[in-house]
Amino acid sequence: MIKPIIETKRVWLLLLYGLSAGLTNAQQASKATYLSQPLIKSIYTADPSAHVFNGKIYIYPSHDIDAGIAENDNGDHFAMRDYHILSMDKIDGPVTDHGVGLDIKNIPWAGRQLWAPDAAYKNGTYYLYFPVKDKNDVFRIGVATSKNPAGPFKAQPQPIPGSFSIDPAVFTDTDGSTYMYFGGIWGGQLQRWATGKYEANGSKTDLMHDDEPALSCKVVKLKGNMLEFDGKVKDVVIVDDVHKPLLTKDHNRRFFEGSWMHKYKGKYYFTYSTGDTHFLAYAVGNNPWGPFVYKGTFMKPVEGWTTHHSIVEFKGKWYIFYHDTQLSGKTHLRNIKVTELHHNADGSIQIIDPSGSK
Ligand code: FUB
């Protein structure tokens, strides 16, 4: 993702609100209300990918730090250098920080910026998937392994062949097949791969063709070894209710970054962030490849620019893990949270307001 220096609509709305109410930033922050509280306060965390392993919840978040890098349109200020793995025996229970599970210095091919990871389990091994820029400043996706869900993880010597962009989300279907969803536009570089090879001087945002189909998230099957792609990377096509692909100009609905997949009552729920419009949205399909029919927003914007989530079932209830900037008030110093998520009888997802308003 990136945070544009002048992010028109939202910034102006916030400014107008602040001016009309006569409030300083600090006064506005103190008036904020929250649906949930940060899960951990000792470090900044974001992009929480939650999984249930051995009856416990393990969370694989980004570890936000202040690297002293000024905010820019490329997201350079998100300069994370390691991952801490967290666990909880129960929702609302204490959170254990298992310490550094993977450090950038132990990823031989990495350059900078360890962004949103995910994890999976197969045949006695845990796999940590992570996006990081290589030494040419191109995002690739790597994988690291461990016998323990809390790590430490050992990185493979090279990125996954054929991988690119950011935000891997790994989903194992009920038949045991595993898929990776990945990609993010703007700072996530997805638009630079539109021709199949990386265009270093490509667009900074999207493809700039407003009336054409939006760039798609990607999906690929993983081989049984969980270390390689099995076959071609395909587009995750999101269509509207008359089965037309969403367009580039449709910023309220099109995919931006931060995808996730969960299966509920035989349907495949593709969920994602709309980025510059700050929604979490969902689209439903009949198989892991799609197409997915856009159904709506299920979380209103959080405090902060980015919004990124995961959805997990634990002891018969569904939960969404997400982040905001409650602790710091700063875009790049985020904190993870959790709240319950409800599916309605018709399969729709109840909308969540992270400010707690009904
Ligand atoms: O944490 C860095 C980036 O911000 C993630 O990769 C995006 O999903 C956004 O949350």
Side-chain angles (χ1 to χ4, degrees), residues 52-58 88-90 314-315:
V52 178
F53 295 134
N54 310 321
K56 279 166 80 146
I57 299 168
Y58 284 86
M88 305 159 79
D89 288 328
K90 55 178 186 176
F314 185 62
K315 300 197 171 160

Side-chain angles (χ1 to χ4, degrees), residues 169-321:
V170 177
F171 164 74
T172 298
D173 205 349
T174 35
D175 69 356
S177 305
T178 302
Y179 303 82
M180 180 188 287
Y181 298 83
F182 65 92
I185 62 173
W186 297 28
Q189 302 180 338
L190 190 59
Q191 69 281 358
R192 295 191 174 166
W193 289 92
T195 61
K197 70 179 185 35
Y198 185 72
E199 304 290 346
N201 295 318
S203 159
K204 286 195 158 157
T205 56
D206 54 30
L207 284 181
M208 318 289 281
H209 301 306
D210 264 4
D211 291 308
E212 290 182 11
L215 277 160
S216 297
C217 181
K218 305 295 170 195
V219 57
V220 65
K221 203 167 179 181
L222 294 186
K223 286 189 178 169
N225 66 12
M226 301 289 272
L227 303 174
E228 294 168 275
F229 291 170
D230 186 2
K232 277 199 172 154
V233 171
K234 298 186 179 170
D235 285 344
V236 176
V237 178
I238 305 172
V239 297
D240 63 16
D241 46 14
V242 292
H243 286 261
K244 288 219 172 98
L246 300 185
L247 300 182
T248 301
K249 67 182 175 195
D250 193 350
H251 289 216
N252 279 337
R253 299 194 297 175
R254 59 90 171 92
F255 168 79
F256 188 103
E257 64 184 0
S259 64
W260 192 257
M261 170 60 61
H262 77 278
K263 193 174 182 181
Y264 178 74
K265 295 198 171 165
K267 296 283 187 193
Y268 294 80
Y269 285 70
F270 177 72
T271 49
Y272 58 97
S273 161
T274 64
D276 56 335
T277 49
H278 316 282
F279 298 118
L280 290 180
Y282 73 111
V284 178
N286 293 320
N287 65 70
W289 302 101
F292 298 93
V293 180
Y294 178 84
K295 295 292 181 186
T297 292
F298 71 98
M299 189 180 252
K300 293 183 181 176
V302 295
E303 193 177 85
W305 199 92
T306 65
T307 184
H308 189 121
H309 76 295
S310 64
I311 294 171
V312 69
E313 188 179 17
F314 185 62
K315 300 197 171 160
K317 290 184 172 182
W318 288 87
Y319 296 93
I320 177 171
F321 286 76

Side-chain angles (χ1 to χ4, degrees), residues 1 46-47 62 64 78 80 115-116 131 166-167 257-258 306-308 323 334:
M1 65 67 56
D47 310 324
S62 298
D64 284 354
F78 291 97
M80 297 85 101
W115 282 13
I166 60 166
D167 290 1
E257 64 184 0
T306 65
T307 184
H308 189 121
H323 68 229
R334 300 160 291 180

